[in-house]
């Protein structure tokens, strides 16, 4: 794992982040925590060590946090993993192994692949939305992934940066695989079980962000 950087968006995660960092303290990889400079409570909750780098976002938004975090990663591989603890790090070893052994560019964890996939966090609205947007991705963009909105993703750092992604909000979750697929990069999936977040509340607004994602996909379909 020495050639892997974990990209950890951590906006307002002062309760979850210390617990999550303790869970991954023995992972021999770099950890890049990305948050806003004014998020003093979360910043105070972090014990910085040689494997942890703190990056203050220059632009606001979940997508911006991911883009900026990966842009400063100096390892061959990256993995997006949220600070709330819902993305279980026990999958990291097998995700990295599959990525390398099968010569994949980006490997997407999926809550809907069986056996092994599942979620403690989904409700009816999010479950419907996830399947709906995944279906659109499959039908209109020929994506072969089964959980388009789940950003637990591991991949090649330089190839990600070459995509020149621009979404600063949650629409990055669709812009990323669509552009990667159009570029002819190799995408694959692996089952993953999503846990409940450790503490705090969701940052996603299902209806508002769902509408933004739909608009983004429509624009990407017609403006190739």
């Amino acid at each position: 794992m020495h050639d892997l950087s974990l990209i950890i968006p951590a906006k307002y995660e002062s309760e979850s982040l210390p617990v999550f960092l303790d869970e991954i303290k023995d992972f021999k990889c770099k950890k890049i925590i990305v948050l806003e400079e004014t998020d003093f409570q979360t910043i105070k909750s972090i014990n910085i060590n040689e494997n942890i780098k703190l990056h203050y976002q220059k632009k606001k938004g979940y997508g911006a946090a991911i883009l900026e975090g990966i842009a400063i990663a100096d390892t061959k591989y990256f993995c997006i993993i949220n600070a709330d603890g819902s993305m279980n790090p026990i999958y990291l070893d097998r995700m990295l192994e599959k990525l390398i052994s099968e010569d994949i560019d980006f490997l997407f964890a999926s809550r809907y692949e069986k056996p092994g996939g599942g979620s403690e966090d989904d409700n009816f609205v999010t479950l419907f939305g996830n399947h709906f947007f995944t279906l659109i991705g499959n039908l209109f963009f020929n994506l072969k992934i089964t959980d388009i909105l789940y950003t637990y993703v591991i991949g090649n750092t330089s190839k990600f940066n070459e995509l020149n992604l621009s979404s600063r909000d949650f629409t990055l979750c669709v812009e990323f695989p669509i552009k990667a697929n159009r570029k002819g990069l190799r995408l694959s999936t692996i089952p993953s079980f999503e846990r409940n977040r450790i503490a705090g509340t969701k940052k996603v607004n299902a209806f508002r962000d769902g509408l933004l994602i739909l608009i983004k996909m429509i624009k990407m379909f017609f403006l190739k």
Side-chain angles (χ1 to χ4, degrees):
M1 280 197 179
H2 293 283
D3 213 8
L4 174 69
S5 291
L6 301 183
I7 311 302
I8 309 172
K11 180 181 178 180
Y12 303 144
E13 293 290 357
S14 59
E15 296 176 274
S16 298
L17 183 58
V19 179
F20 179 65
L21 289 177
D22 184 66
E23 184 178 16
I24 62 173
K25 66 180 185 297
D26 294 328
F27 286 75
K28 306 301 181 184
C29 58
K30 295 184 178 181
K31 295 111 180 176
I32 301 175
I33 300 170
V34 188
L35 73 176
E36 296 177 8
E37 193 170 8
T38 54
D39 188 358
F40 303 116
Q41 195 168 356
T42 304
I43 294 169
K44 288 179 182 178
S45 74
I46 304 168
N47 292 319
I48 301 295
N49 61 47
E50 61 184 15
N51 288 321
I52 293 179
K53 182 173 185 177
L54 196 59
H55 174 74
Y56 297 128
Q57 290 181 237
K58 296 177 177 64
K59 298 177 180 177
K60 292 182 179 292
Y62 179 75
I66 291 171
L67 294 177
E68 292 181 28
I70 298 175
I72 64 170
D74 60 2
T75 53
K76 184 173 183 179
Y77 305 108
F78 73 89
C79 182
I80 305 164
I81 187 165
N82 291 343
D84 62 12
S86 60
M87 297 171 176
N88 196 327
I90 64 167
Y91 298 105
L92 284 171
D93 275 322
R94 70 186 79 166
M95 289 172 74
L96 184 60
E97 180 183 358
K98 178 170 180 166
L99 185 82
I100 296 171
S101 65
E102 298 184 18
D103 194 26
I104 297 165
D105 295 310
F106 302 114
L107 180 64
F108 294 76
S110 173
R111 296 163 292 183
Y112 308 121
E113 276 193 23
K114 305 297 181 184
S119 175
E120 294 177 337
D121 185 63
D122 259 345
N123 56 38
F124 175 78
V125 173
T126 59
L127 180 65
F128 174 82
N130 288 327
H131 282 292
F132 173 72
F133 289 116
T134 297
L135 180 63
I136 292 177
N138 293 338
L139 292 178
F140 294 100
F141 299 97
N142 198 32
L143 290 174
K144 304 302 182 185
I145 59 178
T146 54
D147 193 357
I148 196 172
L149 301 188
Y150 199 40
T151 52
Y152 192 4
V153 185
I154 193 168
N156 183 288
T157 304
S158 62
K159 290 184 179 180
F160 180 91
N161 290 325
E162 289 169 2
L163 293 173
N164 295 317
L165 303 174
S166 60
S167 298
R168 300 177 189 173
D169 53 19
F170 287 104
T171 61
L172 183 74
C173 65
V174 294
E175 183 192 18
F176 169 25
I178 290 171
K179 283 192 173 180
N181 191 55
R182 283 177 173 172
K183 200 174 177 67
L185 300 177
R186 295 194 64 195
L187 315 183
S188 189
T189 58
I190 190 170
S192 175
F193 189 88
E194 180 185 32
R195 306 181 295 190
N196 281 321
R197 61 166 32 249
I198 295 168
T201 57
K202 282 185 178 183
K203 308 299 184 293
V204 179
N205 182 305
F207 293 102
R208 181 197 63 208
D209 292 312
L211 178 60
L212 291 174
I213 289 167
L214 180 59
I215 293 170
K216 182 71 174 182
M217 296 182 85
I218 292 171
K219 286 181 176 178
M220 292 191 74
F221 181 74
F222 287 105
L223 303 175
K224 297 181 180 178

